């Protein structure tokens, strides 16, 4: 996808590429029932690589006041927040937001720049200090991601780098058909992740019912 985006940008322009993304991912769309269910659960910290603003809408629809930190490709300090809570969760948008067009990480070149920026010192590191702190201490649940994604694995390894394996918190990845090699390396050998063989449309309602002790309305 990144290579396709780069080819489109070269043939047309960056502006037309971003226009196409904005049209595709956000205009006229509403949060799905699964996003609504996740928004009603009490996650104090959420990380997304989506460009749209659907989860923010779902959180507000659930009566919450989300605070949003968006990746900046420039050398400006990264916005960080403290005191994450269920009613005022923090949403980190690691690959940008359509409302800040310059922030989108789309092409191969964008991803390379993002990785290079991860060597920056705080407060310029695109991964905020509080996010790194909590990811080393809190259980992590991946929903809607595939660990086949090289960029996601790189981010995960960077955040857990040099952490004592005995102190690494539990991490789960919901994936109906995880790649066999990734399962062998990341679960069986290195024990980074426990895979949950399920799809989002059945896992989220089950999680919602288990946490809230009520069925998810259609």
């Amino acid at each position: 996808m990144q290579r396709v985006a780069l080819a489109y940008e070269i043939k047309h322009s960056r502006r037309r590429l971003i226009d196409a993304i904005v049209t595709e991912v956000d205009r006229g769309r509403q949060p799905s029932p699964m996003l609504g269910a996740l928004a009603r659960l009490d996650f104090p910290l959420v990380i997304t690589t989506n460009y749209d603003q659907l989860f923010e809408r779902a959180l507000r629809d659930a009566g919450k006041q989300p605070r949003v930190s968006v990746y900046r490709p420039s050398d400006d300090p990264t916005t960080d927040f403290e005191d994450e809570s269920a009613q005022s969760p923090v949403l980190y948008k690691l690959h940008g937001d359509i409302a800040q067009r310059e922030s989108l990480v789309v092409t191969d070149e964008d991803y390379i720049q993002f990785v290079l920026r991860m060597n920056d010192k705080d407060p310029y590191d695109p991964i905020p200090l509080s996010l790194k702190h909590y990811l080393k201490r809190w259980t992590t649940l991946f929903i809607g991601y595939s660990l086949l994604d090289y960029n996601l694995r790189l981010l995960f390894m960077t955040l857990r780098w040099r952490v004592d394996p005995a102190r690494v918190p539990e991490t789960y990845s919901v994936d109906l058909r995880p790649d066999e090699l990734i399962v062998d390396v990341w679960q069986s050998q290195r024990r980074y992740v426990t895979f949950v063989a399920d799809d989002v449309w059945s896992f989220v309602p089950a999680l919602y019912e288990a946490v809230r002790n009520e069925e998810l309305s259609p």
Side-chain angles (χ1 to χ4, degrees):
M1 183 64 71
Q2 296 98 301
R3 290 178 61 82
V4 172
L6 180 60
Y8 188 96
E9 178 184 87
I10 292 171
K11 182 176 181 180
H12 300 287
S13 68
R14 179 73 176 189
R15 179 175 180 176
R16 288 186 61 181
L17 172 64
I18 302 304
D19 284 344
I21 291 172
V22 171
T23 299
E24 181 65 27
V25 305
D26 195 67
R27 290 179 183 169
R29 296 181 180 270
Q30 297 298 324
S32 70
M34 297 304 101
L35 277 184
L38 290 171
R40 292 195 293 276
L41 296 177
D42 291 337
F43 292 111
L45 179 62
V46 178
I47 307 165
T48 181
T49 54
N50 288 353
Y51 311 125
D52 60 59
Q53 299 180 337
L54 296 177
F55 195 63
E56 295 96 304
R57 295 182 204 170
L59 288 168
R60 295 188 183 99
D61 289 344
K64 300 182 179 182
Q65 295 80 44
R67 292 169 290 165
V68 182
S69 176
V70 179
Y71 165 68
R72 298 179 180 180
S74 64
D75 292 331
D76 296 328
T78 300
T79 302
D80 203 355
F81 295 102
E82 297 179 352
D83 302 322
E84 296 83 355
S85 69
Q87 284 304 308
S88 184
V90 174
L91 178 62
Y92 289 104
K93 308 192 77 168
L94 294 186
H95 287 172
D97 184 296
I98 56 173
Q100 301 178 33
R101 297 167 65 95
E102 73 284 354
S103 70
L104 299 193
V105 179
V106 184
T107 69
D108 273 344
E109 297 300 308
D110 296 334
Y111 277 88
I112 291 171
Q113 183 180 11
F114 179 85
V115 171
L116 291 174
R117 286 288 315 283
M118 290 175 69
N119 290 317
D120 292 351
K121 303 298 183 182
D122 294 312
Y124 303 100
D125 186 337
I127 310 300
L129 186 61
S130 64
L131 176 55
K132 288 186 284 189
H133 171 83
Y134 289 123
L135 283 176
K136 292 177 181 179
R137 291 164 175 80
W138 287 359
T139 298
T140 302
L141 175 63
F142 288 108
I143 299 179
Y145 287 98
S146 170
L147 287 175
L148 267 176
D149 186 335
Y150 171 83
N151 299 291
L152 180 60
R153 297 203 310 276
L154 176 62
L155 175 61
F156 181 88
M157 289 297 296
T158 301
L159 294 172
R160 296 286 170 85
W161 186 248
R162 295 178 180 173
V163 178
D164 181 354
R167 300 176 64 87
V168 172
E170 295 291 334
T171 300
Y172 300 91
S173 177
V174 180
D175 192 338
L176 182 60
R177 297 181 181 86
D179 181 80
E180 292 183 3
L181 180 59
I182 299 298
V183 172
D184 182 38
V185 174
W186 278 59
Q187 177 172 287
S188 302
Q189 296 185 32
R190 300 179 181 175
R191 299 182 180 178
Y192 290 151
V193 175
T194 298
F195 285 91
V196 179
D198 205 348
D199 64 75
V200 171
W201 292 90
S202 58
F203 176 83
V204 172
L207 176 65
Y208 184 91
E209 182 175 351
V211 172
R212 295 178 61 98
N213 197 29
E214 61 182 72
E215 291 187 3
L216 178 62
S217 300

